[in-house]
Amino acid sequence: DESTSEQLVELAKRRGYFFQSSGAYGGVGGFYTFGPQGASLKGNVEDAWRDRFAVAEGNMEIDAPTIMPEPVFEASGHLDGFDDMLIECPECETSSRADHLVEDNTEYEDAESLPIPEVEEIIAEYELACPECGAGLADVAVENFNLMFATNIGPGDSDPGYLRPETAQGIFVEFPRLKEYARNQLPFGVTQIGRAYRNEISPRRSIIRTREFTQAELEYFVDPEEDEPDLESVADVEVTLYPASEQNKDDGDEIETTIGDAVEEGVISSPWVAYFLGVAKPWYESVGVDMDRFRFRQHLSGERAHYASDCWDAEGEIDGNWIELAGFAYRGDYDLSKHAEHSGDRFTVFKQYDEPKTVERATVDPDMSYLGPEFGGAAQDVVEELESLAGRDRTAFEGDTVAIDLDGETHELPVEKTGFSVDEETIAGEHIVPHVVEPSFGVDRLVYTVLHHAYREDEVDGEERTYLDLEPEVAPTFVGVFPLQNDAELEAQANEVVADLRAEGLSVTYDDSGNIGRRYRRQDEVGTPFCVTVDYETVEDEETTVTVRERDTTDQKRLPVEGLAETLAEIREG
Ligand code: ATP
């Protein structure tokens, strides 16, 4: 149903969900503005994410800058390796992503993980052409293109900065301070909802691939040796999984299982990743993703970032294509170790032992004076050799020698002569580098999926109708209130109802333009769950009642105004 997306994009523009930005200047690819309805829906989705992944999990939320200095991205590896494959048409100069070109036109499903020469070969073999002008691309070179947006911090160009390509780095670089807020206790989690920027080669599918987008990320720091997730709480969650092993088969298929079984059978290897998949699935359902069009797909080994030991994506189906909605990765100690190495700061947590431990510490005469001047250059080798002996029973060194290469000759030096000693020491704990589990959600793609999965067409009173079956929790407007006709008395009464509902914290739209049928259609199209109409009965009858119409069934009921706000608020809460 290719047309659902087309219709959705048209509806989104007409009704104020989202539209291409800077239209007055011709628009620019990959930048979208969320209109009044879209901003509200997106805000509601973000609030729902915050409730589940920050508040309910007891995690901390931070709000870091979107511009960060160059050393951050040297450490994170983004300046070196955050590239996509670019191919530029020699005729019309349109840039395309070479891997997408291959995936869209051949049977290769994961061209992103192939080396460039192989992608070039495939392009030549299949005689792939420029999607814009049709010129052949067989002889065109594929290049790496870095997706980082660069800027300068302050006047001049001596302080380069970059717009962050993910919110995560804003959490990692602040780890030395954040761990203090967590009182140095693992495990703890830090979340952030904010903008990320990637200079995508070819933004496409409206808000699914843009150059500025919103992420909601959680970095969960654990002690890899001690901490375990509460798997029991998610063991019964039913999931559709598409493991890497199935993707490699001709008849490979998704499997239906539970989180508990998937861990037990080793389908998901990291219990932490499994835990967050188990939390995410019901959450996606609660914001309105259709669970028949939702799955978790494991990354193939070539697709995985080199530091990630197990990685799964949440995917939603749109017009027959699976779209990545979120990534769940076990990142090990990669990020914190890199920042420790580049910054020199402490990206560790002090782990106190239950009881102090006695350990042996090896020490070596640091200036190697006992070796004599001819061994000076080999001092470092000697230290390394001796350190490799540390931890052994010190009485065992008697008669041991270390081998030292000098001028192509190997000298055997008795250990006793090196001043090497091993002493006992009592220590209370040690500094460890926590491991990181990262659920990383894209908000814009989720908003798109929620709208797409909510898009409905039916017939009401012989007329075609379009409506959005949005969950009350995220719908931008919860109630539309209409006076039946332009009549001062009805309008005054309707305004009173509006005030009551707003006082209950509900988002309300007042509409008195056009006939009542048109007003219902408008609210149906933005997905408003309820409409309340004030008519002559309302103002004439002894008991003040209104007509309440439900969006999906279009059923209408007469309800007293008294208590209406509370009743609707309860429905919204679920
Ligand atoms: P893709 O392969 O689609 O480019 P990715 O694997 O690079 O995405 P991650 O780095 O894992 O994406 O980012 C986490 C999430 O951020 C993604 O699951 C997605 O929802 C969202 N995201 C990434 N790039 C974009 C983009 N250009 N536009 C909108 N959302 C995006």
Side-chain angles (χ1 to χ4, degrees):
D1 53 351
E2 186 72 45
S3 62
T4 303
S5 273
E6 282 165 13
Q7 282 163 322
L8 177 63
V9 167
E10 191 273 324
L11 182 150
K13 192 166 162 184
R14 187 158 42 83
R15 291 290 177 219
Y17 269 102
F18 55 83
F19 50 88
Q20 196 175 28
S21 305
S22 307
Y25 292 91
V28 48
F31 294 92
Y32 278 80
T33 294
F34 285 93
Q37 306 294 341
S40 171
L41 171 61
K42 180 169 176 272
N44 291 343
V45 168
E46 288 168 5
D47 287 346
W49 191 89
R50 175 178 292 112
D51 283 349
R52 185 65 192 90
F53 290 90
V55 181
E57 293 287 302
N59 294 326
M60 308 185 261
E61 180 175 359
I62 67 161
D63 188 5
T66 55
I67 295 178
M68 301 173 91
E70 187 163 57
V72 170
F73 299 112
E74 271 166 5
S76 69
H78 283 97
L79 286 181
D80 258 354
F82 198 58
D83 300 329
D84 276 341
M85 285 181 230
L86 169 85
I87 188 161
E88 196 186 278
C89 173
E91 298 288 326
C92 71
E93 291 177 5
T94 296
S95 296
S96 306
R97 255 182 82 166
D99 51 330
H100 284 170
L101 196 68
V102 166
E103 285 167 13
D104 292 350
N105 299 292
T106 73
E107 76 278 7
Y108 290 91
E109 278 177 24
D110 180 29
E112 192 180 352
S113 64
L114 299 176
I116 282 184
E118 209 167 311
V119 171
E120 286 173 335
E121 270 171 37
I122 298 169
I123 291 173
E125 185 188 330
Y126 285 81
E127 299 177 353
L128 298 183
C130 168
E132 196 62 32
C133 72
L137 297 174
D139 302 323
V140 180
V142 172
E143 288 166 41
N144 270 326
F145 175 76
N146 191 282
L147 302 185
M148 302 286 286
F149 273 109
T151 185
N152 289 306
I153 300 173
D157 53 12
S158 58
D159 276 321
Y162 294 87
L163 278 75
R164 63 183 182 195
E166 57 178 19
T167 61
Q169 296 308 321
I171 297 176
F172 295 139
V173 296
E174 305 309 345
F175 183 83
R177 197 172 289 276
L178 295 171
K179 73 173 183 196
E180 302 291 334
Y181 302 144
R183 294 177 300 281
N184 280 295
Q185 300 287 317
L186 293 174
F188 70 90
V190 183
T191 69
Q192 185 168 206
I193 302 174
R195 298 282 178 143
Y197 302 81
R198 298 182 188 178
N199 198 5
E200 298 277 355
I201 294 168
S202 44
R204 55 183 191 169
R205 296 198 183 118
S206 78
I207 58 170
I208 290 175
R209 186 174 300 283
T210 56
R211 290 177 166 137
E212 171 169 351
F213 53 98
T214 300
Q215 289 186 316
E217 294 193 295
L218 163 61
E219 307 304 327
Y220 200 73
F221 301 101
V222 302
D223 176 343
E225 279 174 13
E226 308 256 332
D227 297 329
E228 277 169 30
D230 175 16
L231 271 182
E232 219 165 285
S233 64
V234 294
D236 295 334
V237 174
E238 290 173 4
V239 282
T240 305
L241 300 182
Y242 193 29
S245 55
E246 289 294 316
Q247 295 168 47
N248 290 327
K249 289 187 208 154
D250 277 349
D251 59 350
D253 209 354
E254 288 134 19
I255 56 174
E256 306 289 334
T257 181
T258 60
I259 292 289
D261 287 349
V263 173
E264 208 152 286
E265 287 156 20
V267 180
I268 307 172
S269 64
S270 157
W272 280 109
V273 169
Y275 173 74
F276 287 114
L277 298 186
V279 172
K281 147 97 196 249
W283 181 79
Y284 272 117
E285 185 169 15
S286 75
V287 294
V289 175
D290 180 355
M291 288 297 114
D292 292 334
R293 302 160 76 187
F294 179 84
R295 70 180 184 187
F296 292 115
R297 185 182 70 87
Q298 188 177 28
H299 279 202
L300 298 166
S301 55
E303 186 182 359
R304 234 163 32 211
H306 55 283
Y307 48 76
S309 58
D310 197 13
C311 190
W312 292 75
D313 285 345
E315 295 187 327
E317 184 265 317
I318 301 278
D319 297 333
N321 297 308
W322 287 101
I323 304 292
E324 175 186 334
L325 298 176
F328 299 77
Y330 191 86
R331 299 172 69 115
D333 67 359
Y334 178 83
D335 306 278
L336 297 184
S337 297
K338 282 284 170 200
H339 284 301
E341 189 187 314
H342 284 252
S343 70
D345 208 336
R346 272 223 155 142
F347 285 74
T348 51
V349 167
F350 187 73
K351 178 177 166 185
Q352 189 117 21
Y353 299 137
D354 293 340
E355 286 185 10
K357 267 189 203 170
T358 305
V359 293
E360 290 194 329
R361 279 247 185 273
T363 49
V364 192
D365 178 353
D367 62 9
M368 296 279 145
S369 48
Y370 48 82
L371 288 176
E374 73 273 30
F375 286 104
Q380 191 51 40
D381 294 351
V382 179
V383 173
E384 276 168 24
E385 282 245 25
L386 290 171
E387 279 178 345
S388 74
L389 297 175
R392 279 178 46 185
D393 180 354
R394 91 190 95 140
T395 55
F397 292 132
E398 230 162 285
D400 268 351
T401 55
V402 286
I404 300 155
D405 286 325
L406 194 71
D407 298 334
E409 237 181 279
T410 302
H411 300 257
E412 296 287 334
L413 190 72
V415 169
E416 300 90 55
K417 270 190 79 178
T418 63
F420 177 61
S421 68
V422 182
D423 298 305
E424 283 196 346
E425 200 184 325
T426 303
I427 54 170
E430 64 185 307
H431 291 276
I432 63 159
V433 184
H435 282 200
V436 181
V437 199
E438 180 192 73
S440 166
F441 289 64
V443 177
D444 312 66
R445 287 181 185 185
L446 175 55
V447 165
Y448 190 91
T449 307
V450 164
L451 289 170
H452 196 282
H453 288 190
Y455 190 90
R456 306 270 183 281
E457 284 171 349
D458 64 358
E459 235 179 61
V460 174
D461 304 330
E463 256 186 65
E464 272 182 27
R465 162 178 93 134
T466 301
Y467 70 101
L468 296 176
D469 179 11
L470 295 174
E471 290 294 327
E473 193 192 348
V474 297
T477 308
F478 186 65
V479 198
V481 176
F482 318 142
L484 184 65
Q485 283 170 15
N486 291 97
D487 171 301
E489 207 180 348
L490 295 188
E491 285 168 8
Q493 182 67 52
N495 274 308
E496 246 174 68
V497 172
V498 168
D500 278 358
L501 296 175
R502 286 192 180 144
E504 198 60 40
L506 299 173
S507 90
V508 184
T509 288
Y510 174 86
D511 188 358
D512 60 7
S513 62
N515 74 47
I516 197 81
R518 294 239 328 250
R519 283 182 259 168
Y520 281 143
R521 294 295 177 276
R522 263 202 291 272
Q523 294 310 315
D524 286 343
E525 274 201 335
V526 295
T528 305
F530 295 100
C531 288
V532 169
T533 302
V534 171
D535 55 20
Y536 289 106
E537 260 180 71
T538 309
V539 291
E540 281 161 9
D541 283 7
E542 206 154 300
E543 190 191 29
T544 317
T545 59
V546 287
T547 303
V548 179
R549 172 188 179 269
E550 202 269 330
R551 176 194 63 205
D552 303 352
T553 57
T554 72
D555 286 349
Q556 303 195 5
K557 263 193 202 156
R558 265 208 101 78
L559 291 179
V561 164
E562 200 175 324
L564 179 68
E566 291 80 2
T567 310
L568 291 177
E570 269 171 36
I571 294 174
R572 189 185 187 278
E573 293 311 312

